Amino acid sequence: MSLEPFGARLRRAMDERGPLCVGIDPHASLLTDWGLNDDIAGLERFSRTVVEALAEQVAVLKPQSAFFERFGSRGIAVLEKSVEQARAAGALVVMDAKRGDIGSTMAAYAETFLHKDAPLFSDALTVSPYLGYGSLKPAVDLARESGAGLFILALTSNPEGGEVQHAVRGDGRNVGATMLAHLAAENAGETPLGSFGAVVGATLGDLSSYDLDINGPLLAPGIGAQGATAADLAGVFGAAVRNVVPNVSRGVLRHGPDVVALRTSAERFADEIRAAVGAA
């Protein structure tokens, strides 16, 4: 039996817990800042602390798969446990793996993260569409079947992204806008929110030239350490701001390993975002 669609579950979680996604990003410098060794024990302690502190509080947790994969099979085992525990505590898990390939390989990536019986099953997965949006079809199909979602890289905040995402097609529309149009088509008629979202940087400034009303969520990195604030969201996302899922990683994680400090920081960001979105 498949889950209720991701979009509906996400809408409810954001309404109940606040529109905030916190990354689980155990990179080496952050482990050091927490007084942990850059080894499997440090990885396990870090991840367990974040999940215990936040999984009952925030709407979404987003593990960055790369920081677990670098430890090999033992790191993947920690990631599996973190996903299981976070979901059991009520948080939605977006796996930040940015997978993208073609044919059977894309299907295998989809099965890894989106099959309901997979050890790494997550509520949603980040994917790259730059082998062509159609290459994502195995992931789109399996997400629909399992009640999961996808976040497609559309307008990312890294400066290198522009050479692809801002490239203009023969029809006069750039590649980023094309990805948004594909997502709007995927989400057509879905209520209260579609399950197929876009990654759109909160640091990009005025995006009024883009149609961000895709009837789906907009995962927005850049709040906190990257320089964007909750007050910037309405100016960047306009009428689509209610569907924004702002992602904060270092802005919250730097308060660890103190569990109370992690919770307090996440609550502050959620309150600021809720107020900014409500006033928009």
Side-chain angles (χ1 to χ4, degrees):
M1 178 182 296
S2 65
L3 294 168
E4 181 184 17
F6 171 69
R9 293 186 289 122
L10 178 61
R11 176 77 275 157
R12 184 168 58 249
M14 291 198 297
D15 290 346
E16 293 177 354
R17 295 186 171 202
L20 178 65
C21 168
V22 177
I24 306 179
D25 295 355
H27 48 75
S29 62
L30 198 48
L31 293 176
T32 299
D33 290 345
W34 279 34
L36 302 172
N37 292 328
D38 185 23
D39 56 18
I40 196 68
L43 176 73
E44 197 279 333
R45 172 72 183 278
F46 179 95
S47 302
R48 184 178 69 247
T49 300
V50 175
V51 171
E52 289 179 353
L54 301 179
E56 293 183 352
Q57 175 179 333
V58 302
V60 182
L61 287 174
K62 182 175 69 65
Q64 170 47 259
S65 181
F67 292 125
F68 295 83
E69 292 177 39
R70 70 191 182 99
F71 291 100
S73 60
R74 294 179 301 165
I76 296 299
V78 173
L79 180 58
E80 290 178 3
K81 193 68 173 178
S82 298
V83 170
E84 177 188 6
Q85 292 175 338
R87 297 189 71 242
L92 298 177
V93 171
V94 173
M95 182 62 68
D96 195 355
K98 298 183 178 70
R99 297 301 196 251
D101 216 307
I102 60 172
S104 59
T105 311
M106 189 67 239
Y109 282 137
E111 289 171 6
T112 301
F113 299 105
L114 301 172
H115 191 285
K116 62 183 179 62
D117 296 325
L120 283 169
F121 174 74
S122 303
D123 296 285
L125 171 69
T126 60
V127 291
S128 173
Y130 295 109
L131 288 172
Y133 183 84
S135 67
L136 300 178
K137 188 176 187 302
V140 171
D141 290 346
L142 187 53
R144 287 194 187 281
E145 179 182 328
S146 63
L150 297 176
F151 284 100
I152 284 84
L153 303 178
L155 296 168
T156 59
S157 55
N158 63 304
E160 304 88 351
E163 68 182 46
V164 175
Q165 296 157 25
H166 298 164
V168 178
R169 294 159 31 99
D171 62 4
R173 184 166 58 183
N174 72 23
V175 173
T178 300
M179 297 307 158
L180 293 170
H182 281 303
L183 292 168
E186 297 286 2
N187 293 323
E190 296 293 328
T191 57
L193 188 66
S195 297
F196 299 92
V199 178
V200 178
T203 56
L204 293 177
D206 182 5
L207 293 176
S208 58
S209 61
Y210 289 91
D211 185 0
L212 298 176
D213 186 12
I214 61 171
N215 191 34
L218 302 169
L219 182 63
I223 302 291
Q226 294 183 47
T229 68
D232 296 325
L233 292 173
V236 176
F237 295 97
V241 72
R242 185 170 180 269
N243 295 332
V244 171
V245 189
N247 176 72
V248 180
S249 294
R250 283 172 290 174
V252 171
L253 299 178
R254 66 184 179 86
H255 295 282
D258 186 314
V259 168
V260 173
L262 286 166
R263 289 174 178 161
T264 300
S265 177
E267 184 177 10
R268 178 176 59 82
F269 275 111
D271 287 345
E272 290 176 357
I273 294 165
R274 186 187 286 111
V277 171

